[in-house]
Amino acid sequence: MARELREVVYIDGVRTAFGKAGPSGAFWRTRADDMGVKAVRELLRRNPAIEPERIGDVIMAATAQVGDQGLTLGRDVALLAGIPHTVPGFAVDRMCAGALTAVTAGAGEIAMGATDVVLAGGVEHMGHHPMGADVDFNPRFVAERLVDASAVTMGATAENLHDRFPQLTKEDADAFAVQSQRRAAAAWENGVMRETVVPMSVFTDEGWRMADRDEFLRPDTTMEALAGLRTPFRAGGRVTAGNSAGLTDGATACFLTSERTASELALEPKMRLAGFAFAGVEPELMGLGPVPATRKVLEQTGISLDEIGLFELNEPFAVQVLTWCDGMGVAPDDERLNPYGGAIACGHPLAATGVRLMAQLAYGFGERPRARYGLTALCVGMGMGAALLWENLRG
Amino acid sequence: MGDTAFRLARVASAAGPLALLTLDNGEDHTKPTVLGRSALASLEAVLPQLETGDWIALVVTGKPFIFAAGADVDEFPRMTRPELAREGSRAGHELFGRIRALPYPTVAAINGVCVGGGVELALHCDLRTLSSAVRHFAAPECFLGIVPAWGGTQLVPRLVGAKTAIRFIVENSMRQNRMLDAARAHELGFVDRLLEPVEFLDESIAFALEAATEGLPERRAPDLSDTAELVARARAQLDDSLHGAAPAPLRALDLIEGAAGWSIERGYAAEEDALAELLPGHEAQAAVYSFGLVERRAKRGVGIPAAEARRVQRVGIAGAGLMATQLATLCLRRLEVPIVLRDLDEAVVEGALESIRGELGGLAAKGRYDEGKARFLGSLVSGSTDLEALAGCDLVIEAVWEQLEVKQGVFAELEAVVSPACVLATNTSSLSVTEIGAGLEHPERVVGMHFFNPVAVMPLVELVRTSATDDVTLRTAWETTKALRKTGVLVQDAPGFVVNRVLTRMTTVLMDALEHGNTTEETDEAILRLGLPMAPSVLLQVVGPRVSNHVLETMHEAYPDRFPLSPTLAAFAAGSEEIVLVGERRRSVEEITNAALEAMADEIRHLLEEGVVAEAADVDTCLLLGAGFPFFLGGITKHLDQKGVSSRVAGRPLAQIRIAAPAA
C-alpha cells in the first residue's frame, strides 16, 4: 500500500515577552513551565476552531531539562494548561534549535499520518538555568582535542568567526546591531510584536507586574555607544553585549496541522513547510551552522536562494548573521532579512527562539504576499545549523 | 517578618492605565500576609496616588497563594485598652472606606487565602474575582473572641443577605472555625466571577478593564427585611450552646441586625464600640492566646528530640474493640500502609474489619475516595487472632483492656513476635507506661501514644516518654502523630497524664456535689457556664461510667488525698442510675463552679511541679485539643491565672511554674 505523505502547514504562533535572565528580570520569580502554559493558552484562545481534544501531540523544547523546565515539558505544560489528559506530549532538546526541532518532529508525525494537529514550541528560563549549569563536559573533548576549548563558550565561537572571516569587522557587527534594534522598535510600534506577543502578569519583588515588552530593547542604540563597550570574550575582541543577544527568559508555542485538517476546520494556514535540514559544523565555529543547513534545504527542495523573499535568522551574535550573509551572498541590510529586528533587540531564550522566527516570518508573508518562500534558520551550540523552508500561503 | 506593604504597579491598556496593587510581605506562602500596622501604614501611603492618578480601574491582589490572612493576631495582646482597640477598628474603616470611595471601578482579585480583614478589604471593592483553587474564605473573628470590625458586619449582609451573613460570621466561627471554599463562596454571592487559577490575575485584570469601559455589572441588593427574625432565632440557638460564656457571637448578631437599618457610618461606629469592648476583654485575649498555642507552640514539638524517626511501613493494632478500630481506621486513611488488627476473639476481629471496610465504602459513596482507592485501602487492612500476624510491624499500638497485667502480658507476647526495633506504643489513659513495658528485654522502644475519643475528631495525642524510651522511638511517635494529622504533646509518665488527670479531678468535685444534695442539672450548669462544650453528665455517658470509675480508681491509688473514691461513680459503673447520698450540704451552682476551678488549679499546680509537662502552656494545649476546651476560655491555666484562682490556690500564677528537669 503506497503511503501518502501529507503536507504540513503552520496555522499560528505566539510568544511571551522576552525578559532579562537574572534577579532583575521580569520573569525571575516566574516558573519556566508557567510561561509555556501562558503561551499555550493564548494560542488555544486565538484558535478556537482547533479543539484541544484534537491535538495529537504537544512537543515543547528546552535546553535545560531540569527543575521548572523538567518533567517532560510538553506533557507538563499541556496538563497545566488544561489540555485534556488524553493528549500526549514530550520534550525535545537541540539547544537553540529546540523549538525548530519540535516543529520538525511534529511535522514528521503529521506527514506520516500519525496525527493531524501538533502544538509545538519551546521554553527557556536562562535565569533559573544558565547555559551549561547542569552539564558535565566529558574531559575527552579537551584531552583528545576533539573540540577546541573555545567551543563551549558561545561568545568565543563568535570571536572565532571574526578570525576566520576577517572581512567581517566589528563595525559591521555594530552596524547590524543598530539595524536590528531600530527595526525591532518599529515592529513594536506598528504591529508584528503586538500580534505575536502575549502579555502576562508576573510576580516580582515589587509585587505583581505586567510583562508585556521585551526587556532588551534599546531603540536608541548608536554606533558610538556600541563602540565603547568592552569585549568580554577576548581582550581587544569584537564581540560585545551590544552586538549579541542577551541571556533571556521566554516561551513560544505554535500550531501545525496537515493541509487537509486545516481545510476541514476552515483554518487559514499562513505557510507550508517545504523542507528542512540540519547540519553539523566545527563546534568552535558554531555560528557557521546555518550556511550548510541552508544549502542542504535548498538542494533538497530544488528551490534557489533568489526565490526566497524573506529570511528570519537568529541573531545570537551579529557576526553569525554576517557570516551567513557572506556565505549565501545576501547583503546584511537587505530588507528581506530580519525586517522586524532580531535577537539582538529582543533576546534569545535558547530553545524557544525557533517559533519566534516562524511567527515573524508568517507575519512578514502577510505584508509581502509576493514573497513565495521564506527561511527560518539558526545556529546551534556545539556546532550545528538548522534551516526550515516555508512556502507563503498568504499570497 | 519582612516588611508588609501594598506595592503599586501600572498596567498599560488601550483604554488607559490600570492600577495593580499587590499586598506582599516578602515571604513565601508558609508565612501568610497579614494586615498589621505595616500593611495599613503602607496602604495609607499609597492611597493618595490612587486617589489623584489618571487610573481607569484598580485591581487589588495578594502574593501567590495568599490574598490577605486577616489582621495581625500578634498585635492583639497589645490591645489591652479600649481606646487602642477602637482606633484599630476606626483606622481600617477609614482606609478601606477610601478604597470604596475611589472614582473608578475597583476589583479585589482574591487569588488565595482570604480571611477576616482580607474579606473586609475585598468587600470594600466594587467587584470581586475569586480563584477556584481558594479553600480558605472566612470570617473567623468570633472564633477569636471579637467581631469583624473593619466593616464586615455591615457589608456582608448588604451583599449576601442576613441568613448567609449569620452563617458566615457567627455560625461557621463557632463550628471549629469552618471556612468556605471558592465554589461555595461564589454560590453564596460573595464574588462576581469565579475564575480558573491558571490565568487568574490576567483574567481579573481583563474583568476590571471591561468594567471600566462598559460599566459595572448589574447586581441585585438582597432583601434584609427578615433580619430581625433570623437574628432572634440565631440568638436563641447560641444561648443554648454557649450559656452566655462567649460575648462575641452575640455582639456580632447585634451588629448584623443593625445593618438592616443603619447607615454605613452608624454601623461602623457600632463596630468600633464593639471592638473597644471585646478585644481588651478576657475572652478575646484568651482566644488569641489559644490560637497562638495551637498554631505555633504545638507544631514546634517542644522537647521532641531531633533524632531520625523509623520508617513506619506496617502498623499493628493489638486489640480490635471500639478504640482499636478507630485507631486502625485513622492509621489506614492517613498512612496508607498495611494495618493488622489482632484480638483473641475472632468475632471481634471480624466485626472490626467489617466496620472499617464499611466506613471506607461510605466515604467512597460520598465521593471522598474513588472506588479503586477505597478497594485498595480495604485490601491493606487485615486481622487475625494469631499473634504472628503482627510480625514485621514497625509500630504496634496497643489498645486492649485497661488493666496492667493484661497490658504487660500483651507486650511480653508482642516482644516475642516483632523485631527489637519495632515501636510498641500503648494507648493507655491512666496506667504507667513504664510499668507496662517493665518486663521487656527492649523497653527503650516503648512509648505512650494516648489518643482521645472520638479519634477521628480529637486532635490531641499525649506522647508519653518513660525514662527508658529512646530518642528514636519518641521521634517516631511524634512523626507518626504528625502523619496522622494530630498534635502531639510530650508528657512524662505520670498517672492520668494531663487531660484525664485534670478532668478527673474536676469530676471528684462534681461527684462530691451530687453526693451532698446537688442535682445533675446543677453540676452540669456549673461547668457549662464556663463555656465547656459538653455537659459533664453527657461526657460521662460518652466515655462510659465503667471507664471513668476505673480512671478515678487509678488516680486514687496514686493521689488518694486529692482523688477520693466516689460511691456514686462506682454505683454508676455497676449499672445503677441512683446517686448515692453521703451528706446534706447543697451548694449553689456558683460555688460548684469555683470549687471545680480551684480543684483544677490545684491539680495543675501539682502536675507542673512534678514536671509532667514543660510549662502551663502545654496543659492548655492538651485541654484545648483533647478535652474540647473552647478557645475563648484560653486554655484553662490562663483563665485560672486571670481569675485569681491560681494565686489563691497555688500562691502564684500557673504560668510561672516551670521546673528545670522533667520528672524521672
Side-chain angles (χ1 to χ4, degrees):
Chain A
M1 181 196 78
R3 189 196 297 273
E4 187 195 308
L5 201 70
R6 290 140 30 113
E7 295 296 339
V8 178
V9 293
Y10 166 97
I11 306 301
D12 192 14
V14 297
R15 68 178 180 90
T16 62
F18 285 176
K20 272 194 205 157
S24 63
F27 295 104
W28 178 239
R29 294 177 69 174
T30 303
R31 285 182 60 105
D33 55 2
D34 285 341
M35 294 170 70
V37 168
K38 183 67 183 180
V40 164
R41 283 185 64 97
E42 180 67 10
L43 189 69
L44 290 167
R45 244 193 309 275
R46 291 188 191 198
N47 297 276
I50 301 177
E51 280 164 11
E53 293 75 25
R54 194 71 192 264
I55 301 171
D57 219 341
V58 178
I59 314 173
M60 298 289 279
T63 306
Q65 303 247 335
V66 288
D68 61 349
Q69 309 183 168
L71 200 66
T72 312
L73 203 57
R75 180 62 172 164
D76 170 65
V77 165
L79 290 172
L80 291 170
I83 290 176
H85 61 247
T86 48
V87 174
F90 68 97
V92 160
D93 168 30
R94 204 200 297 253
M95 291 174 282
C96 315
L100 287 186
T101 307
V103 165
T104 57
E109 291 187 12
I110 293 170
M112 268 285 284
T115 178
D116 296 332
V117 178
V118 165
L119 199 167
V123 178
E124 202 79 54
H125 197 303
M126 297 180 77
H128 292 169
H129 308 283
M131 234 185 314
D134 283 299
V135 170
D136 178 11
F137 280 95
N138 194 314
R140 286 184 56 206
F141 278 120
V142 172
E144 296 171 27
R145 315 253 169 104
L146 294 175
V147 149
D148 187 82
S150 62
V152 304
T153 307
M154 300 301 114
T157 70
E159 290 285 358
N160 290 345
L161 280 178
H162 277 290
D163 289 346
R164 177 66 70 89
F165 306 109
Q167 69 273 32
L168 307 176
T169 65
K170 181 176 192 293
E171 285 65 38
D172 294 331
D174 288 349
F176 186 81
V178 171
Q179 176 183 286
S180 181
Q181 290 283 3
R182 295 228 176 101
R183 289 182 179 181
W188 274 97
E189 289 313 301
N190 58 29
V192 68
M193 301 307 191
R194 290 235 178 88
E195 275 267 313
T196 54
V197 174
V198 56
M200 76 182 276
S201 51
V202 291
F203 193 65
T204 71
D205 291 341
E206 280 80 48
W208 291 94
R209 318 220 129 221
M210 214 49 153
D212 55 6
R213 203 167 167 84
D214 298 329
E215 291 190 301
F216 282 113
L217 293 169
R218 294 244 184 309
D220 306 320
T221 302
T222 61
M223 291 292 290
E224 294 71 44
L226 291 178
L229 295 176
R230 49 177 220 104
T231 54
F233 303 106
R234 196 191 282 183
R238 284 116 329 167
V239 179
T240 69
N243 61 28
S244 333
L247 302 174
T248 315
D249 306 326
T252 59
C254 76
F255 265 136
L256 305 167
T257 69
S258 71
E259 200 153 46
R260 185 173 315 160
T261 304
S263 79
E264 177 207 317
L265 296 176
L267 304 172
E268 282 170 11
K270 301 190 168 76
M271 48 196 198
R272 182 185 67 86
L273 186 61
F276 64 88
F278 295 95
V281 296
E282 300 143 85
E284 55 271 18
L285 289 169
M286 68 97 193
L288 205 43
V291 176
T294 305
R295 292 199 178 119
K296 213 164 145 184
V297 76
L298 292 178
E299 203 189 295
Q300 184 202 106
T301 56
I303 290 160
S304 67
L305 193 75
D306 36 71
E307 289 181 80
I308 304 184
L310 262 180
F311 305 99
E312 279 287 339
L313 246 70
N314 196 24
E315 302 170 359
F317 304 97
V319 65
Q320 179 261 316
V321 184
L322 298 178
T323 303
W324 181 88
C325 289
D326 194 66
M328 302 309 300
V330 174
D333 61 0
D334 193 321
E335 58 92 42
R336 293 175 297 165
L337 171 63
N338 293 0
Y340 308 113
I344 288 172
C346 67
H348 170 41
L350 305 183
T353 283
V355 166
R356 174 185 72 77
L357 301 174
M358 286 163 53
Q360 288 186 195
L361 186 73
Y363 185 90
F365 276 160
E367 288 195 327
R368 293 163 183 70
R370 285 191 304 163
R372 177 108 192 267
Y373 291 100
L375 183 79
T376 52
L378 45 73
C379 56
V380 188
M382 292 305 273
M384 283 189 277
L388 276 65
L389 191 61
W390 300 90
E391 184 183 357
N392 186 353
L393 297 177
R394 302 183 79 170
Chain B
M1 195 156 287
D3 85 334
T4 304
F6 284 88
R7 302 193 197 284
L8 179 60
R10 195 179 179 85
V11 175
S13 87
L18 174 143
L20 178 58
L21 201 60
T22 308
L23 177 61
D24 183 16
N25 66 358
E27 310 269 2
D28 68 21
H29 67 278
T30 60
K31 298 198 165 56
T33 322
V34 294
L35 291 156
R37 198 164 299 167
S38 173
L40 294 185
S42 155
L43 181 57
E44 191 166 16
V46 83
L47 272 166
Q49 288 177 69
L50 293 174
E51 287 161 337
T52 60
D54 56 346
W55 313 104
I56 61 163
L58 165 69
V59 172
V60 186
T61 193
K63 70 180 187 187
F65 306 109
I66 311 282
F67 177 73
D72 189 352
V73 175
D74 286 340
E75 288 173 5
F76 284 13
R78 280 185 262 138
M79 303 281 188
T80 49
R81 291 197 326 270
E83 317 83 77
L84 294 175
R86 179 184 297 281
E87 175 52 27
S89 171
R90 193 212 60 78
H93 284 149
E94 183 195 310
L95 291 173
F96 290 178
R98 281 169 72 179
I99 292 179
R100 195 157 187 262
L102 289 171
Y104 42 74
T106 53
V107 175
I110 305 167
N111 63 303
V113 173
C114 180
V115 298
V119 171
E120 290 169 302
L121 172 59
L123 289 171
H124 282 80
C125 293
D126 297 317
L127 301 165
R128 282 150 296 283
T129 60
L130 179 62
S131 161
S132 60
V134 172
R135 294 200 327 268
H136 300 89
F137 186 83
E141 286 88 344
C142 288
F143 179 73
L144 290 174
I146 56 172
V147 296
W150 280 344
T153 65
Q154 304 302 300
L155 295 178
V156 172
R158 283 172 168 84
L159 185 65
V160 295
K163 179 150 178 258
T164 301
I166 292 170
R167 171 119 37 99
F168 185 66
I169 294 173
V170 181
E171 290 168 9
N172 280 1
S173 267
M174 307 314 287
R175 287 202 190 111
Q176 283 95 43
N177 203 15
R178 185 165 303 179
M179 304 205 177
L180 300 180
D181 63 22
R184 194 83 182 107
H186 179 241
E187 221 178 301
L188 290 169
F190 281 96
V191 302
D192 301 279
R193 288 281 186 282
L194 184 67
L195 301 171
E196 283 184 298
V198 57
E199 292 176 278
F200 175 72
L201 187 57
D202 289 343
E203 289 181 22
S204 298
I205 291 171
F207 180 58
L209 291 173
E210 202 185 292
T213 51
E214 292 166 35
L216 298 175
E218 286 281 324
R219 191 164 53 218
R220 229 182 37 242
D223 174 12
L224 295 175
S225 59
D226 59 351
T227 303
E229 187 194 315
L230 290 166
V231 166
R233 205 178 302 160
R235 253 192 216 116
Q237 276 172 347
L238 271 181
D239 276 335
D240 261 351
S241 55
L242 290 175
H243 300 261
L250 291 165
R251 197 58 178 269
L253 285 174
D254 292 342
L255 292 164
I256 292 171
E257 189 173 11
W262 290 336
S263 66
I264 295 266
E265 292 71 34
R266 170 116 190 262
Y268 282 16
E271 280 187 349
E272 287 160 28
D273 288 340
L275 197 69
E277 243 181 76
L278 292 170
L279 183 45
H282 188 43
E283 290 78 10
Q285 293 295 323
V288 167
Y289 164 75
S290 303
F291 180 76
L293 276 185
V294 164
E295 288 299 305
R296 287 185 217 141
R297 186 184 169 84
K299 292 184 179 162
R300 270 193 279 142
V302 175
I304 305 292
E308 197 176 310
R310 215 159 273 140
R311 285 198 75 193
V312 174
Q313 303 281 69
R314 191 181 172 85
V315 177
I317 310 281
L322 279 159
M323 194 61 174
T325 306
Q326 288 186 62
L327 291 171
T329 308
L330 179 71
C331 291
L332 177 65
R333 289 193 62 199
R334 297 282 175 248
L335 304 180
E336 298 190 0
V337 296
I339 313 283
V340 187
L341 287 116
R342 189 261 177 173
D343 193 284
L344 289 173
D345 186 335
E346 184 161 343
V348 170
V349 172
E350 281 312 311
L353 292 177
E354 210 179 289
S355 160
I356 294 169
R357 290 192 183 118
E359 170 136 3
L360 289 174
L363 289 166
K366 271 192 263 178
R368 301 278 284 279
Y369 289 125
D370 75 38
E371 262 184 61
K373 181 77 184 253
R375 221 182 352 253
F376 164 67
L377 289 178
S379 76
L380 284 180
V381 66
S382 62
S384 175
T385 52
D386 185 359
L387 199 57
E388 282 297 320
L390 297 178
C393 284
D394 305 296
L395 166 69
V396 175
I397 306 178
E398 169 277 305
V400 304
W401 177 240
E402 185 78 359
Q403 208 186 66
L404 185 60
E405 293 73 35
V406 174
K407 288 193 189 288
Q408 284 173 327
V410 168
F411 267 49
E413 286 183 319
L414 279 174
E415 188 160 52
V417 158
V418 299
S419 84
C422 171
V423 171
L424 295 179
T426 170
N427 183 46
T428 185
S429 51
S430 56
L431 299 170
S432 163
V433 178
T434 309
E435 284 187 45
I436 291 174
L440 296 182
E441 213 180 299
H442 295 282
E444 65 275 10
R445 37 72 173 276
V446 172
V447 69
M449 287 180 76
H450 181 217
F451 292 80
F452 288 82
N453 219 336
V455 168
V457 170
M458 299 309 272
L460 180 69
V461 178
E462 286 174 326
L463 293 172
V464 187
R465 130 168 264 178
T466 72
S467 53
T469 308
D470 66 20
D471 284 356
V472 173
T473 300
L474 186 55
R475 185 84 198 181
T476 307
W478 162 259
E479 298 282 345
T480 304
T481 303
K482 265 206 305 201
L484 295 172
R485 297 196 212 158
K486 300 289 181 197
T487 304
V489 175
L490 179 63
V491 307
Q492 301 306 313
D493 189 16
F497 312 125
V498 174
V499 176
N500 275 343
R501 180 163 173 176
V502 174
L503 289 184
T504 305
R505 180 72 194 268
M506 182 187 85
T507 302
T508 62
V509 170
L510 302 182
M511 287 296 132
D512 185 65
L514 288 176
E515 287 161 0
H516 285 85
N518 283 101
T519 63
T520 309
E521 287 74 31
E522 288 166 334
T523 52
D524 278 352
E525 175 59 26
I527 300 306
L528 285 175
R529 65 165 56 165
L530 282 178
L532 292 191
M534 201 185 265
S537 65
V538 175
L539 184 58
L540 184 60
Q541 292 311 310
V542 169
V543 171
R546 275 202 326 174
V547 173
S548 297
N549 191 48
H550 189 92
V551 173
L552 177 56
E553 285 174 347
T554 311
M555 299 308 297
H556 173 76
E557 227 182 278
Y559 309 108
D561 299 334
R562 300 197 309 272
F563 290 85
L565 290 175
S566 160
T568 303
L569 194 52
F572 287 170
S576 155
E577 284 182 14
E578 297 286 307
I579 295 174
V580 175
L581 270 180
V582 164
E584 189 64 41
R585 196 193 62 223
R586 201 160 164 200
R587 281 174 273 187
S588 71
V589 171
E590 197 182 321
E591 284 173 323
I592 301 175
T593 306
N594 287 337
L597 289 177
E598 287 182 359
M600 286 195 273
D602 183 53
E603 198 56 41
I604 293 170
R605 169 258 196 107
H606 281 283
L607 75 80
L608 283 174
E609 285 173 352
E610 287 167 31
V612 176
V613 285
E615 52 187 84
D618 297 319
V619 175
D620 293 331
T621 307
C622 285
L623 290 171
L624 281 166
L625 297 178
F629 269 47
F631 269 37
F632 57 79
L633 208 48
I636 193 66
T637 71
K638 197 122 199 270
H639 182 81
L640 292 168
D641 286 353
Q642 277 179 332
K643 284 270 189 265
V645 180
S646 311
S647 300
R648 211 160 58 234
V649 165
R652 62 210 188 288
L654 297 169
Q656 283 176 16
I657 304 178
R658 208 170 299 201
I659 65 160

